[in-house]
Amino acid sequence: MSTCNHSWSMVNIRNGYLVIEGCHECRARTSFFSMETVPPVDDYRDGEHFWTYLGSFQAVKFDLSCEECGEIVNLNDMMGLMLSTCRDPDCEVGRLATAQGKGTWVYVALCADSSHATGKCVSDAGVKALGEYFNANIKDPDKKVVVVPCRMCNSIDTCEGIVIADTGLTEIY
């Protein structure tokens, strides 16, 4: 276990698209990150699934590296980040956003399997490092960022938010 007081910075920055697909047969959802100049929109069969393009958002992917100890947190399991605007009282993210107050921004770390059929989501280590990164340079004691995995959303298909598309993520403070 590391005793470093991490000083995270973004590394391996990639700009592209968060592409969302759905299987009309089983209702599963999947997403992936594409660095193509135009997001792919082709329908295709993969095993039991017939994947259809549902939409895309400009997005950014990156990893985090500690400037003090050199530790790297690989965020390959994160397809993008979404600033939550959810206020749904039936959704854990919506309740969290409402309870935290005006000075708190809730970021949802989006994984590839938004239906969570595989049981996988963004790693706890990734979510923790993201929270540390975003809160590191906030000077106002009334402001903070809470990062949560998308498995906390009641339904990622109807969750309200803004997918982050640039690396100036903390400049909003």
Side-chain angles (χ1 to χ4, degrees), residues 83-116:
L83 172 62
S84 175
T85 58
C86 181
R87 298 292 180 254
D88 181 354
D90 294 329
C91 176
E92 193 173 355
V93 173
R95 288 192 304 271
L96 178 65
T98 302
Q100 293 291 319
K102 277 177 91 171
T104 300
W105 293 47
V106 177
Y107 283 156
V108 179
L110 303 169
C111 74
D113 180 12
S114 61
S115 58
H116 297 99

Short mmCIF file of all heavy atoms in Angstrom, two decimals, residues 83-116:
data_model
loop_
_atom_site.label_atom_id
_atom_site.label_comp_id
_atom_site.label_asym_id
_atom_site.label_seq_id
_atom_site.Cartn_x
_atom_site.Cartn_y
_atom_site.Cartn_z
N LEU A 83 -20.23 14.85 -16.46
CA LEU A 83 -20.64 15.74 -15.37
C LEU A 83 -22.13 15.53 -15.18
O LEU A 83 -22.93 15.80 -16.07
CB LEU A 83 -20.33 17.19 -15.73
CG LEU A 83 -20.87 18.24 -14.77
CD1 LEU A 83 -20.26 18.08 -13.38
CD2 LEU A 83 -20.61 19.63 -15.31
N SER A 84 -22.51 15.00 -14.02
CA SER A 84 -23.92 14.66 -13.77
C SER A 84 -24.75 15.91 -13.53
O SER A 84 -24.35 16.80 -12.79
CB SER A 84 -24.04 13.75 -12.55
OG SER A 84 -25.40 13.52 -12.26
N THR A 85 -25.91 15.95 -14.16
CA THR A 85 -26.92 16.96 -13.88
C THR A 85 -28.19 16.28 -13.37
O THR A 85 -29.26 16.88 -13.33
CB THR A 85 -27.24 17.81 -15.14
OG1 THR A 85 -27.68 16.95 -16.19
CG2 THR A 85 -26.01 18.59 -15.59
N CYS A 86 -28.06 15.02 -12.97
CA CYS A 86 -29.18 14.21 -12.52
C CYS A 86 -29.74 14.74 -11.20
O CYS A 86 -28.99 15.06 -10.28
CB CYS A 86 -28.72 12.76 -12.34
SG CYS A 86 -30.04 11.63 -11.81
N ARG A 87 -31.04 14.79 -11.10
CA ARG A 87 -31.72 15.18 -9.86
C ARG A 87 -32.82 14.18 -9.52
O ARG A 87 -33.70 14.45 -8.73
CB ARG A 87 -32.33 16.58 -9.99
CG ARG A 87 -31.31 17.69 -10.23
CD ARG A 87 -30.43 17.89 -9.00
NE ARG A 87 -29.44 18.94 -9.22
CZ ARG A 87 -28.15 18.72 -9.43
NH1 ARG A 87 -27.69 17.50 -9.51
NH2 ARG A 87 -27.32 19.71 -9.59
N ASP A 88 -32.75 12.99 -10.15
CA ASP A 88 -33.75 11.94 -9.95
C ASP A 88 -33.63 11.39 -8.53
O ASP A 88 -32.61 10.81 -8.17
CB ASP A 88 -33.53 10.83 -10.97
CG ASP A 88 -34.53 9.69 -10.87
OD1 ASP A 88 -35.35 9.68 -9.93
OD2 ASP A 88 -34.47 8.79 -11.73
N PRO A 89 -34.66 11.51 -7.70
CA PRO A 89 -34.59 11.01 -6.33
C PRO A 89 -34.53 9.48 -6.25
O PRO A 89 -34.16 8.93 -5.21
CB PRO A 89 -35.86 11.55 -5.67
CG PRO A 89 -36.79 11.83 -6.80
CD PRO A 89 -35.95 12.17 -7.99
N ASP A 90 -34.85 8.79 -7.34
CA ASP A 90 -34.77 7.33 -7.36
C ASP A 90 -33.40 6.83 -7.79
O ASP A 90 -33.15 5.62 -7.81
CB ASP A 90 -35.83 6.75 -8.31
CG ASP A 90 -37.25 7.01 -7.80
OD1 ASP A 90 -37.43 7.06 -6.56
OD2 ASP A 90 -38.15 7.17 -8.64
N CYS A 91 -32.51 7.75 -8.13
CA CYS A 91 -31.17 7.40 -8.60
C CYS A 91 -30.15 7.77 -7.53
O CYS A 91 -30.17 8.88 -6.98
CB CYS A 91 -30.85 8.14 -9.89
SG CYS A 91 -29.19 7.86 -10.51
N GLU A 92 -29.25 6.84 -7.23
CA GLU A 92 -28.22 7.10 -6.22
C GLU A 92 -27.35 8.30 -6.59
O GLU A 92 -26.99 9.11 -5.73
CB GLU A 92 -27.36 5.84 -6.06
CG GLU A 92 -26.47 5.86 -4.84
CD GLU A 92 -25.77 4.53 -4.61
OE1 GLU A 92 -26.02 3.54 -5.33
OE2 GLU A 92 -24.94 4.49 -3.69
N VAL A 93 -27.03 8.45 -7.87
CA VAL A 93 -26.23 9.60 -8.32
C VAL A 93 -27.03 10.89 -8.17
O VAL A 93 -26.51 11.90 -7.71
CB VAL A 93 -25.74 9.41 -9.77
CG1 VAL A 93 -25.05 10.67 -10.28
CG2 VAL A 93 -24.80 8.22 -9.85
N GLY A 94 -28.30 10.86 -8.53
CA GLY A 94 -29.16 12.03 -8.38
C GLY A 94 -29.29 12.46 -6.93
O GLY A 94 -29.23 13.64 -6.61
N ARG A 95 -29.47 11.49 -6.05
CA ARG A 95 -29.56 11.81 -4.61
C ARG A 95 -28.25 12.37 -4.10
O ARG A 95 -28.23 13.33 -3.33
CB ARG A 95 -29.95 10.57 -3.81
CG ARG A 95 -31.40 10.14 -4.00
CD ARG A 95 -31.84 9.09 -2.98
NE ARG A 95 -30.99 7.91 -2.97
CZ ARG A 95 -31.17 6.82 -3.73
NH1 ARG A 95 -32.20 6.78 -4.56
NH2 ARG A 95 -30.36 5.78 -3.65
N LEU A 96 -27.15 11.79 -4.54
CA LEU A 96 -25.82 12.27 -4.12
C LEU A 96 -25.59 13.70 -4.60
O LEU A 96 -25.15 14.56 -3.83
CB LEU A 96 -24.73 11.35 -4.69
CG LEU A 96 -23.29 11.72 -4.41
CD1 LEU A 96 -23.00 11.63 -2.91
CD2 LEU A 96 -22.35 10.82 -5.18
N ALA A 97 -25.91 13.97 -5.85
CA ALA A 97 -25.72 15.32 -6.40
C ALA A 97 -26.58 16.34 -5.66
O ALA A 97 -26.12 17.44 -5.36
CB ALA A 97 -26.06 15.32 -7.89
N THR A 98 -27.79 15.97 -5.34
CA THR A 98 -28.68 16.87 -4.62
C THR A 98 -28.20 17.09 -3.18
O THR A 98 -28.18 18.21 -2.69
CB THR A 98 -30.12 16.32 -4.61
OG1 THR A 98 -30.54 16.15 -5.97
CG2 THR A 98 -31.06 17.24 -3.89
N ALA A 99 -27.79 16.03 -2.52
CA ALA A 99 -27.37 16.10 -1.11
C ALA A 99 -26.06 16.86 -0.93
O ALA A 99 -25.84 17.48 0.12
CB ALA A 99 -27.23 14.69 -0.53
N GLN A 100 -25.19 16.83 -1.92
CA GLN A 100 -23.88 17.45 -1.79
C GLN A 100 -23.93 18.97 -1.84
O GLN A 100 -23.03 19.63 -1.37
CB GLN A 100 -22.94 16.93 -2.88
CG GLN A 100 -22.60 15.48 -2.74
CD GLN A 100 -21.72 15.20 -1.53
OE1 GLN A 100 -20.81 15.93 -1.22
NE2 GLN A 100 -22.04 14.12 -0.84
N GLY A 101 -24.95 19.53 -2.44
CA GLY A 101 -25.09 20.98 -2.47
C GLY A 101 -24.51 21.62 -3.72
O GLY A 101 -23.93 20.97 -4.58
N LYS A 102 -24.65 22.95 -3.79
CA LYS A 102 -24.30 23.71 -4.98
C LYS A 102 -22.83 23.67 -5.35
O LYS A 102 -22.47 23.72 -6.50
CB LYS A 102 -24.72 25.17 -4.80
CG LYS A 102 -26.16 25.43 -5.12
CD LYS A 102 -26.49 26.87 -4.86
CE LYS A 102 -26.29 27.71 -6.09
NZ LYS A 102 -26.80 29.07 -5.93
N GLY A 103 -21.94 23.62 -4.39
CA GLY A 103 -20.52 23.69 -4.67
C GLY A 103 -19.89 22.37 -5.08
O GLY A 103 -18.69 22.32 -5.32
N THR A 104 -20.69 21.33 -5.17
CA THR A 104 -20.16 20.01 -5.50
C THR A 104 -20.56 19.61 -6.91
O THR A 104 -21.72 19.74 -7.30
CB THR A 104 -20.66 18.96 -4.50
OG1 THR A 104 -20.22 19.34 -3.20
CG2 THR A 104 -20.13 17.57 -4.84
N TRP A 105 -19.57 19.13 -7.63
CA TRP A 105 -19.80 18.60 -8.97
C TRP A 105 -19.63 17.10 -8.89
O TRP A 105 -18.65 16.61 -8.32
CB TRP A 105 -18.80 19.18 -9.96
CG TRP A 105 -18.98 20.65 -10.17
CD1 TRP A 105 -19.14 21.61 -9.22
CD2 TRP A 105 -19.00 21.34 -11.41
NE1 TRP A 105 -19.26 22.84 -9.79
CE2 TRP A 105 -19.17 22.70 -11.14
CE3 TRP A 105 -18.88 20.91 -12.73
CZ2 TRP A 105 -19.24 23.66 -12.16
CZ3 TRP A 105 -18.95 21.87 -13.73
CH2 TRP A 105 -19.13 23.23 -13.44
N VAL A 106 -20.57 16.35 -9.45
CA VAL A 106 -20.50 14.89 -9.45
C VAL A 106 -20.14 14.44 -10.86
O VAL A 106 -20.87 14.70 -11.81
CB VAL A 106 -21.82 14.24 -8.99
CG1 VAL A 106 -21.73 12.73 -9.08
CG2 VAL A 106 -22.16 14.68 -7.57
N TYR A 107 -18.96 13.78 -10.98
CA TYR A 107 -18.53 13.20 -12.24
C TYR A 107 -18.81 11.71 -12.20
O TYR A 107 -18.49 11.03 -11.22
CB TYR A 107 -17.04 13.39 -12.47
CG TYR A 107 -16.61 14.78 -12.90
CD1 TYR A 107 -15.31 15.20 -12.67
CD2 TYR A 107 -17.47 15.65 -13.55
CE1 TYR A 107 -14.89 16.47 -13.06
CE2 TYR A 107 -17.06 16.90 -13.95
CZ TYR A 107 -15.77 17.31 -13.71
OH TYR A 107 -15.36 18.55 -14.11
N VAL A 108 -19.39 11.20 -13.27
CA VAL A 108 -19.67 9.78 -13.41
C VAL A 108 -18.64 9.19 -14.37
O VAL A 108 -18.53 9.62 -15.52
CB VAL A 108 -21.10 9.53 -13.94
CG1 VAL A 108 -21.37 8.04 -14.09
CG2 VAL A 108 -22.14 10.18 -13.01
N ALA A 109 -17.86 8.23 -13.88
CA ALA A 109 -16.88 7.53 -14.71
C ALA A 109 -17.63 6.44 -15.48
O ALA A 109 -18.20 5.53 -14.88
CB ALA A 109 -15.77 6.93 -13.84
N LEU A 110 -17.64 6.55 -16.79
CA LEU A 110 -18.43 5.66 -17.65
C LEU A 110 -17.61 4.46 -18.11
O LEU A 110 -16.52 4.62 -18.65
CB LEU A 110 -18.93 6.44 -18.86
CG LEU A 110 -19.76 7.69 -18.55
CD1 LEU A 110 -19.97 8.52 -19.81
CD2 LEU A 110 -21.07 7.32 -17.91
N CYS A 111 -18.16 3.27 -17.91
CA CYS A 111 -17.47 2.05 -18.34
C CYS A 111 -18.04 1.58 -19.67
O CYS A 111 -18.99 2.16 -20.20
CB CYS A 111 -17.60 0.95 -17.28
SG CYS A 111 -19.23 0.19 -17.16
N ALA A 112 -17.48 0.52 -20.21
CA ALA A 112 -17.90 -0.01 -21.51
C ALA A 112 -19.25 -0.72 -21.44
O ALA A 112 -20.02 -0.70 -22.39
CB ALA A 112 -16.84 -0.96 -22.06
N ASP A 113 -19.55 -1.37 -20.32
CA ASP A 113 -20.76 -2.18 -20.19
C ASP A 113 -21.80 -1.44 -19.35
O ASP A 113 -21.98 -1.73 -18.17
CB ASP A 113 -20.40 -3.53 -19.54
CG ASP A 113 -21.58 -4.44 -19.37
OD1 ASP A 113 -22.66 -4.17 -19.96
OD2 ASP A 113 -21.46 -5.43 -18.64
N SER A 114 -22.47 -0.48 -19.97
CA SER A 114 -23.39 0.37 -19.20
C SER A 114 -24.58 -0.39 -18.62
O SER A 114 -25.21 0.08 -17.68
CB SER A 114 -23.88 1.54 -20.06
OG SER A 114 -24.59 1.08 -21.18
N SER A 115 -24.89 -1.57 -19.14
CA SER A 115 -25.95 -2.38 -18.53
C SER A 115 -25.39 -3.23 -17.38
O SER A 115 -26.13 -3.83 -16.64
CB SER A 115 -26.62 -3.27 -19.59
OG SER A 115 -25.67 -4.10 -20.21
N HIS A 116 -24.07 -3.27 -17.27
CA HIS A 116 -23.34 -3.98 -16.22
C HIS A 116 -23.68 -5.47 -16.15
O HIS A 116 -23.63 -6.08 -15.09
CB HIS A 116 -23.55 -3.28 -14.86
CG HIS A 116 -22.98 -1.90 -14.88
ND1 HIS A 116 -23.76 -0.78 -15.07
CD2 HIS A 116 -21.70 -1.45 -14.78
CE1 HIS A 116 -23.00 0.29 -15.08
NE2 HIS A 116 -21.73 -0.08 -14.91
#
